């Protein structure tokens, strides 16, 4: 009799445990579905709340070393806006995947580095670089075939690198991996590589190299049927035109930049081309200042027009001010070439007259 009672009790215990397990499993899936719904709505605090509840269930069902638990840690790292939570959550996922030798380890380092980079905090730069370097090493060592993530890692490292030589080394790696092993031949990533390499060359005074890079970008765009082809062509036109202007080939530069300006004039007032339109205007001023002979009137006209993209506003954001600092450098070069007899203070007096936002006049 006693054995029969013990048997019945054992069966009941198994049934109860199965029911509890099933209940926890259902709650886990419910929380994950809710998290996904809130993510789609942009309600990230609610997404994070449900992911934390899902993590509690996963720890009970699968334990702290299961891949299912690691996946929820990863989701928390992607959803959080707190650098400590991002670092810790991805760290837990990395520790779990490290025990299994799974190739997702490289992706976790990549995602943690990119998430921390999105927060744009100076004190996080070292952590960002460490994670992206680890991701790049794993991608290259084990050949996971993730060329886009590998290239993006090197592009991000180049963006954070202050030394020009080291920055160029990262950019060359991004470019070589993209052209040699990329299976998707991503349109956006390819343009990003052209843009980063060309801009680096412009900033380093390597104008011929910059022209070749942006000209290749233009040729690639001309052969494309993508929806934003015209936008990419316009950018390549005014940037290659800028390189020509800096090489004192003003007439050739004018021709290219004016083609880009036709596109930006079409978008003027829509808010879709403010930065590119302003840059194109400032480079057109530079091209007219670099022509033989320079056109002083057009330098001033296009300089004023470039600044107008910003000064029609009541106030400027920090990003606007940063962009205007770059435009100021371009316009100063244009002014110096058009008015070699005038001094530095003459330019600044002219610049101040046209660079004040509407709300500050």
């Amino acid at each position: 009799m006693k054995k029969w009672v013990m048997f019945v009790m054992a069966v009941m215990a198994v049934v109860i445990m199965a029911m509890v397990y099933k209940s926890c499993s259902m709650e886990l899936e419910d929380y994950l579905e809710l998290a996904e719904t809130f993510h789609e709505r942009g309600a990230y605090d609610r997404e994070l709340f449900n992911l934390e509840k899902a993590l509690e269930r996963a720890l009970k069902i699968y334990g702290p070393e299961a891949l299912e638990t690691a996946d929820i840690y990863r989701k928390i790292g992607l959803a959080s806006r707190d650098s400590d939570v991002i670092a810790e959550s991805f760290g837990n996922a990395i520790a779990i995947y490290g025990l299994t030798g799974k190739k997702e380890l490289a992706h976790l380092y990549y995602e943690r580095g990119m998430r921390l980079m999105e927060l744009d905090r100076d004190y996080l730069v070292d952590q960002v670089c460490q994670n992206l370097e680890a991701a790049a090493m794993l991608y290259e060592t084990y050949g996971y075939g993730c060329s886009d993530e590998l290239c993006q890692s090197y592009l991000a490292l180049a963006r954070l690198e202050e030394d020009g030589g080291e920055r160029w080394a990262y950019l060359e790696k991004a470019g070589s991996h993209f052209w040699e092993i990329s299976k998707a031949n991503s349109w956006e990533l390819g343009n990003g590589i052209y843009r980063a390499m060309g801009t680096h060359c412009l900033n380093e005074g390597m104008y011929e190299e910059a022209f070749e890079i942006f000209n290749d970008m233009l040729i690639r765009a001309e052969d494309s049927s993508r929806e934003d082809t015209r936008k990419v062509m316009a950018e390549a036109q005014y940037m290659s035109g800028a390189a020509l202007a800096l090489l004192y080939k003003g007439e050739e530069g004018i021709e290219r930049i004016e083609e880009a300006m036709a596109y930006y004039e079409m978008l003027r007032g829509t808010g879709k081309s403010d930065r590119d339109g302003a840059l194109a205007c400032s480079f057109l001023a530079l091209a007219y200042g670099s022509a033989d002979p320079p056109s002083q009137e057009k330098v001033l006209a296009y300089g004023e027009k470039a600044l107008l993209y910003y000064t029609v506003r009541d106030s400027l954001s920090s990003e606007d001010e940063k962009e205007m600092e770059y435009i100021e450098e371009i316009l100063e070069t244009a002014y110096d070439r058009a008015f070699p007899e005038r001094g530095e203070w003459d330019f600044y007096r002219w610049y101040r007259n046209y660079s004040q936002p509407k709300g500050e006049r």
Side-chain angles (χ1 to χ4, degrees):
M1 187 67 177
K2 187 180 290 186
K3 290 182 179 179
W4 172 251
V5 172
M6 291 179 64
F7 174 76
V8 170
M9 290 178 64
V11 170
M12 290 178 63
V14 170
V15 170
I16 292 170
M17 289 178 63
M19 291 175 65
V20 170
Y21 181 89
K22 184 177 181 180
S23 174
C24 288
S25 297
M26 289 177 64
E27 287 183 354
L28 171 61
E29 293 302 320
D30 290 340
Y31 282 126
L32 289 175
E33 287 180 10
L34 281 169
E36 186 175 347
T37 299
F38 284 120
H39 177 80
E40 292 172 355
R41 295 176 183 174
Y44 300 116
D45 289 342
R46 300 298 299 168
E47 177 191 6
L48 193 58
F49 172 83
N50 283 281
L51 286 174
E52 288 170 348
K53 289 294 184 182
L55 178 62
E56 292 176 8
R57 301 301 185 275
L59 287 169
K60 290 179 181 178
I61 299 170
Y62 302 115
E65 296 181 354
L67 294 179
E68 292 84 355
T69 305
D71 186 55
I72 298 175
Y73 277 126
R74 172 183 171 271
K75 290 178 185 293
I76 291 173
L78 290 172
S80 177
R81 300 298 183 267
D82 184 295
S83 60
D84 290 336
V85 173
I86 292 170
E88 182 180 355
S89 297
F90 273 110
N92 290 331
I94 287 169
I96 295 169
Y97 272 100
L99 297 173
T100 66
K102 295 284 186 178
K103 68 179 184 180
E104 284 81 358
L105 197 60
H107 300 323
L108 292 170
Y109 279 115
Y110 171 77
E111 288 179 329
R112 180 164 67 173
M114 287 300 192
R115 285 291 295 112
L116 292 173
M117 188 173 179
E118 287 173 15
L119 299 179
D120 195 22
R121 301 287 187 271
D122 290 341
Y123 64 88
L124 294 174
V125 169
D126 287 344
Q127 289 187 57
V128 173
C129 292
Q130 288 167 10
N131 279 277
L132 294 179
E133 286 169 354
M137 182 197 71
L138 288 168
Y139 285 136
E140 288 189 329
T141 302
Y142 297 105
Y144 293 152
C146 303
S147 61
D148 285 1
E149 288 84 354
L150 176 57
C151 293
Q152 291 284 16
S153 297
Y154 282 128
L155 279 180
L157 287 166
R159 199 175 308 133
L160 296 171
E161 180 57 58
E162 295 181 359
D163 179 79
E166 291 294 325
R167 188 186 312 117
W168 182 247
Y170 283 134
L171 291 173
E172 284 191 314
K173 285 183 178 181
S176 64
H177 286 305
F178 179 76
W179 298 118
E180 290 173 9
I181 66 175
S182 176
K183 295 180 175 62
N185 194 23
S186 168
W187 167 250
E188 292 80 8
L189 179 55
N191 292 332
I193 292 171
Y194 277 127
R195 186 178 296 118
M197 295 183 81
T199 302
H200 170 84
C201 289
L202 275 184
N203 293 337
E204 294 294 316
M206 302 160 60
Y207 305 135
E208 291 183 0
E209 292 85 347
F211 171 77
E212 292 297 332
I213 290 169
F214 284 117
N215 194 53
D216 287 345
M217 181 179 177
L218 177 59
I219 293 170
R220 181 174 184 250
E222 288 173 338
D223 292 336
S224 173
S225 59
R226 299 296 183 103
E227 185 177 345
D228 64 341
T229 294
R230 186 66 190 93
K231 178 178 182 294
V232 175
M233 285 178 60
E235 181 183 3
Q237 284 167 335
Y238 81 72
M239 292 301 286
S240 59
L244 289 169
L246 288 163
L247 287 166
Y248 284 91
K249 298 179 180 180
E251 292 80 1
E252 296 175 52
I254 290 168
E255 183 179 350
R256 287 189 176 231
I257 300 170
E258 283 185 338
E259 288 185 26
M261 283 302 302
Y263 171 76
Y264 295 123
E265 285 300 315
M266 181 182 67
L267 294 180
R268 194 170 179 84
T270 65
K272 295 180 180 179
S273 68
D274 286 357
R275 178 184 180 277
D276 288 303
L279 275 176
C281 274
S282 62
F283 281 129
L284 190 52
L286 175 62
Y288 274 111
S290 306
D292 185 21
S295 174
Q296 297 176 339
E297 181 181 345
K298 298 229 172 140
V299 167
L300 298 177
Y302 281 108
E304 293 169 20
K305 192 172 183 179
L307 295 170
L308 190 62
Y309 276 86
Y310 299 97
T311 56
V312 293
R313 306 172 194 174
D314 292 328
S315 62
L316 300 176
S317 67
S318 58
E319 189 64 27
D320 291 334
E321 291 175 353
K322 190 181 298 184
E323 290 171 4
M324 284 187 70
E325 287 177 7
Y326 184 51
I327 288 174
E328 180 182 352
E329 294 177 11
I330 298 167
L331 294 180
E332 184 175 6
T333 303
Y335 196 92
D336 288 344
R337 291 185 178 185
F339 302 97
E341 73 284 357
R342 299 186 184 179
E344 181 179 339
W345 285 108
D346 194 73
F347 165 75
Y348 287 126
R349 279 193 294 271
W350 171 82
Y351 182 80
R352 279 198 300 270
N353 285 336
Y354 295 98
S355 60
Q356 296 301 311
K358 183 172 63 175
E360 298 178 12
R361 295 174 199 164

